[in-house]
Amino acid sequence: MKASLAQASSAIIQVRDLEKYYSPGVPVLYDLSFAIEPGEVFGIVGHSGAGKSTLLRCFNGLETYQGGSVRVMGREVGTLSEAGIKELRRELGMIFQNFSLMSRKNVFENVAFPLRVWKMPPEAIRERVMELLDMVGLADRAQERIQNLSGGQKQRIGIARAMALNPKILLCDEATSALDPNTTISILELLRDINQRLGITVVVVTHQMEVVKRICHRMLLLDNGRAQALGLAEELFLSPPPSLKRFVEEDFTLIPGGVNIRLVFPREISQQAVITGMVRKLDIDFSIVGGRLDRYRDDVLGFLIINVRHADFDNVVNYLKANHMLWEVLNDGA
Ligand SMILES: Nc1ncnc2c1ncn2[C@@H]1O[C@H](COP(=O)(O)OP(=O)(O)OP(=O)(O)O)[C@@H](O)[C@H]1O
Ligand SMILES: [Mg+2]
């Protein structure tokens, strides 16, 4: 019954009731169930020690697990033979925070490494490596020594190497954590391009919320090895559940009088039109407490906190409801 259910699932990675212990009685991953769909960019976020890397390593068989199921492309990772794991890893590219490149070898040899392991003929290797270097924009650096590259360039080489065998899934463990903000964005754009153009599923482990906003469709929040939230990235960030609130910096000084209302604008609704419409229609004054706009993949979305008088509150709420706005009262001042 379980097997037929798993086969019916469209998921490329299916995790069910996963339990992982390093020492008995101390679960590192617990009661975890979720699915990653083919073609999505899926974020796994959480504080240091939450279990993100451990979870990622369960996908490619670098870790064992003690309970539940991890099925990657229909294969139960925990029951694979050594040869089965090797075959699986061929279809999983992996990139790391510290790049894990061979510093004594040049760029070409680093990217060629997985191709040599799988004994591709030299001509095919040359062609494939140059194609990969072209994809990451470093074709002119093939003979360069790794130590002469910047962090961003090293990660591009890491991505080229991870893509060498045409993986179905790219696993990224803090791939941008060692990079400055602009370089981070350029690496994220490269990952997004790989996802969109080649349809490769990308799993992004990160503690940087900006990374999730920028490229992830959905995300899983891990805390102490347990799932605290799972859903669309923009929905979770724009209306964060309590478990996510402490990861989201929203430190605005609320106005003590009146009512402070936090407004979220759904994608279809223009912020400007709703606010100017409200002022005109209701003929009210209000103050802006703060707000924030972020780029979520191709959209710029955000929220606005306004302060209205008590006397206007009911009218404002009716207006917001009529305009399909998401809103929340932050505090009800004196
Ligand atoms: N090989 C190991 N042996 C024993 N305990 C381990 C081992 N690897 C990780 N742990 C523990 O498992 C927990 C989860 O670690 P993990 O590295 O998965 O966290 P993480 O979310 O990736 O953290 P970070 O953001 O710091 O990378 C931590 O408490 C860690 O100390
Ligand atoms: Mg980690």
Side-chain angles (χ1 to χ4, degrees), residues 254-261 306-313 329-334:
L254 299 177
I255 295 175
V259 189
N260 295 292
I261 308 174
I306 61 171
N307 179 277
V308 303
R309 288 190 308 237
H310 280 287
D312 295 329
F313 180 68
V329 171
L330 293 181
N331 84 319
D332 196 343

Short mmCIF file of all heavy atoms in Angstrom, two decimals, residues 254-261 306-313 329-334:
data_model
loop_
_atom_site.label_atom_id
_atom_site.label_comp_id
_atom_site.label_asym_id
_atom_site.label_seq_id
_atom_site.Cartn_x
_atom_site.Cartn_y
_atom_site.Cartn_z
N LEU A 254 5.74 51.40 16.92
CA LEU A 254 4.32 51.65 16.66
C LEU A 254 3.90 52.96 17.30
O LEU A 254 4.46 53.38 18.31
CB LEU A 254 3.48 50.49 17.20
CG LEU A 254 3.77 49.13 16.57
CD1 LEU A 254 2.93 48.04 17.23
CD2 LEU A 254 3.54 49.15 15.07
N ILE A 255 2.91 53.58 16.70
CA ILE A 255 2.40 54.84 17.24
C ILE A 255 1.46 54.51 18.40
O ILE A 255 0.59 53.65 18.27
CB ILE A 255 1.66 55.63 16.12
CG1 ILE A 255 2.69 56.03 15.05
CG2 ILE A 255 0.94 56.85 16.70
CD1 ILE A 255 2.11 56.70 13.84
N PRO A 256 1.65 55.13 19.58
CA PRO A 256 0.90 54.73 20.76
C PRO A 256 -0.62 54.95 20.68
O PRO A 256 -1.38 54.11 21.14
CB PRO A 256 1.51 55.57 21.90
CG PRO A 256 2.42 56.55 21.26
CD PRO A 256 2.68 56.15 19.85
N GLY A 257 -1.08 56.04 20.07
CA GLY A 257 -2.53 56.25 19.99
C GLY A 257 -3.12 55.58 18.76
O GLY A 257 -2.39 55.13 17.88
N GLY A 258 -4.46 55.50 18.70
CA GLY A 258 -5.11 54.95 17.51
C GLY A 258 -4.87 53.46 17.36
O GLY A 258 -4.52 52.77 18.30
N VAL A 259 -5.04 52.97 16.11
CA VAL A 259 -4.87 51.54 15.84
C VAL A 259 -3.79 51.36 14.77
O VAL A 259 -3.86 51.99 13.71
CB VAL A 259 -6.19 50.89 15.34
CG1 VAL A 259 -6.05 49.38 15.30
CG2 VAL A 259 -7.36 51.29 16.22
N ASN A 260 -2.82 50.52 15.07
CA ASN A 260 -1.77 50.21 14.09
C ASN A 260 -2.19 48.97 13.31
O ASN A 260 -2.45 47.92 13.91
CB ASN A 260 -0.46 49.96 14.80
CG ASN A 260 0.06 51.21 15.49
OD1 ASN A 260 0.45 52.17 14.83
ND2 ASN A 260 0.03 51.22 16.81
N ILE A 261 -2.25 49.11 12.01
CA ILE A 261 -2.72 48.00 11.16
C ILE A 261 -1.63 47.63 10.16
O ILE A 261 -1.06 48.50 9.49
CB ILE A 261 -3.99 48.40 10.36
CG1 ILE A 261 -5.06 48.94 11.31
CG2 ILE A 261 -4.54 47.20 9.59
CD1 ILE A 261 -6.29 49.48 10.59
N ILE A 306 0.09 51.05 8.96
CA ILE A 306 -0.49 52.39 9.07
C ILE A 306 -1.14 52.54 10.45
O ILE A 306 -1.44 51.55 11.12
CB ILE A 306 -1.54 52.68 7.96
CG1 ILE A 306 -2.70 51.68 8.03
CG2 ILE A 306 -0.89 52.63 6.58
CD1 ILE A 306 -3.86 52.04 7.11
N ASN A 307 -1.34 53.78 10.82
CA ASN A 307 -2.00 54.08 12.10
C ASN A 307 -3.23 54.92 11.78
O ASN A 307 -3.13 55.97 11.15
CB ASN A 307 -1.03 54.84 13.02
CG ASN A 307 -1.69 55.20 14.34
OD1 ASN A 307 -2.39 56.20 14.45
ND2 ASN A 307 -1.44 54.37 15.34
N VAL A 308 -4.40 54.42 12.22
CA VAL A 308 -5.65 55.16 11.97
C VAL A 308 -6.31 55.52 13.31
O VAL A 308 -6.03 54.88 14.33
CB VAL A 308 -6.63 54.35 11.10
CG1 VAL A 308 -5.98 53.95 9.78
CG2 VAL A 308 -7.13 53.11 11.83
N ARG A 309 -7.18 56.49 13.25
CA ARG A 309 -7.91 56.86 14.48
C ARG A 309 -8.93 55.78 14.82
O ARG A 309 -9.47 55.13 13.93
CB ARG A 309 -8.64 58.19 14.26
CG ARG A 309 -7.71 59.39 14.21
CD ARG A 309 -8.52 60.67 14.24
NE ARG A 309 -9.56 60.66 13.20
CZ ARG A 309 -9.67 61.60 12.25
NH1 ARG A 309 -8.84 62.60 12.22
NH2 ARG A 309 -10.62 61.51 11.36
N HIS A 310 -9.21 55.63 16.11
CA HIS A 310 -10.22 54.65 16.54
C HIS A 310 -11.54 54.87 15.81
O HIS A 310 -12.19 53.91 15.37
CB HIS A 310 -10.47 54.77 18.05
CG HIS A 310 -9.41 54.10 18.86
ND1 HIS A 310 -9.32 52.73 18.94
CD2 HIS A 310 -8.39 54.60 19.59
CE1 HIS A 310 -8.29 52.43 19.71
NE2 HIS A 310 -7.70 53.54 20.10
N ALA A 311 -11.90 56.14 15.67
CA ALA A 311 -13.20 56.47 15.07
C ALA A 311 -13.30 55.99 13.63
O ALA A 311 -14.39 55.70 13.14
CB ALA A 311 -13.44 57.97 15.15
N ASP A 312 -12.14 55.87 12.95
CA ASP A 312 -12.15 55.47 11.54
C ASP A 312 -11.98 53.96 11.35
O ASP A 312 -12.09 53.46 10.23
CB ASP A 312 -11.01 56.19 10.79
CG ASP A 312 -11.21 57.69 10.77
OD1 ASP A 312 -12.39 58.11 10.75
OD2 ASP A 312 -10.21 58.42 10.78
N PHE A 313 -11.69 53.26 12.44
CA PHE A 313 -11.26 51.86 12.33
C PHE A 313 -12.26 50.97 11.58
O PHE A 313 -11.89 50.26 10.65
CB PHE A 313 -10.97 51.29 13.73
CG PHE A 313 -10.52 49.86 13.71
CD1 PHE A 313 -9.28 49.51 13.16
CD2 PHE A 313 -11.33 48.85 14.20
CE1 PHE A 313 -8.86 48.20 13.13
CE2 PHE A 313 -10.91 47.52 14.17
CZ PHE A 313 -9.67 47.20 13.63
N VAL A 329 -4.29 43.67 13.07
CA VAL A 329 -4.10 44.76 14.03
C VAL A 329 -2.88 44.44 14.88
O VAL A 329 -2.79 43.36 15.47
CB VAL A 329 -5.35 44.93 14.93
CG1 VAL A 329 -5.06 45.92 16.06
CG2 VAL A 329 -6.53 45.40 14.11
N LEU A 330 -1.91 45.36 14.92
CA LEU A 330 -0.69 45.10 15.67
C LEU A 330 -0.82 45.50 17.13
O LEU A 330 -0.40 44.80 18.02
CB LEU A 330 0.49 45.83 15.03
CG LEU A 330 0.88 45.31 13.65
CD1 LEU A 330 2.07 46.09 13.13
CD2 LEU A 330 1.20 43.83 13.68
N ASN A 331 -1.36 46.68 17.35
CA ASN A 331 -1.68 47.03 18.74
C ASN A 331 -2.82 48.02 18.70
O ASN A 331 -3.00 48.73 17.74
CB ASN A 331 -0.47 47.63 19.46
CG ASN A 331 -0.37 49.09 19.17
OD1 ASN A 331 -0.59 49.52 18.03
ND2 ASN A 331 -0.06 49.89 20.16
N ASP A 332 -3.55 47.98 19.74
CA ASP A 332 -4.68 48.88 19.82
C ASP A 332 -4.30 49.91 20.87
O ASP A 332 -4.36 49.64 22.05
CB ASP A 332 -5.91 48.06 20.25
CG ASP A 332 -7.19 48.82 19.99
OD1 ASP A 332 -7.09 50.05 19.81
OD2 ASP A 332 -8.24 48.20 19.95
N GLY A 333 -3.81 51.05 20.38
CA GLY A 333 -3.29 52.07 21.29
C GLY A 333 -4.36 52.61 22.21
O GLY A 333 -5.52 52.26 22.13
N ALA A 334 -3.95 53.51 23.08
CA ALA A 334 -4.88 54.03 24.10
C ALA A 334 -5.99 54.86 23.45
O ALA A 334 -5.79 55.41 22.40
CB ALA A 334 -4.12 54.92 25.08
#
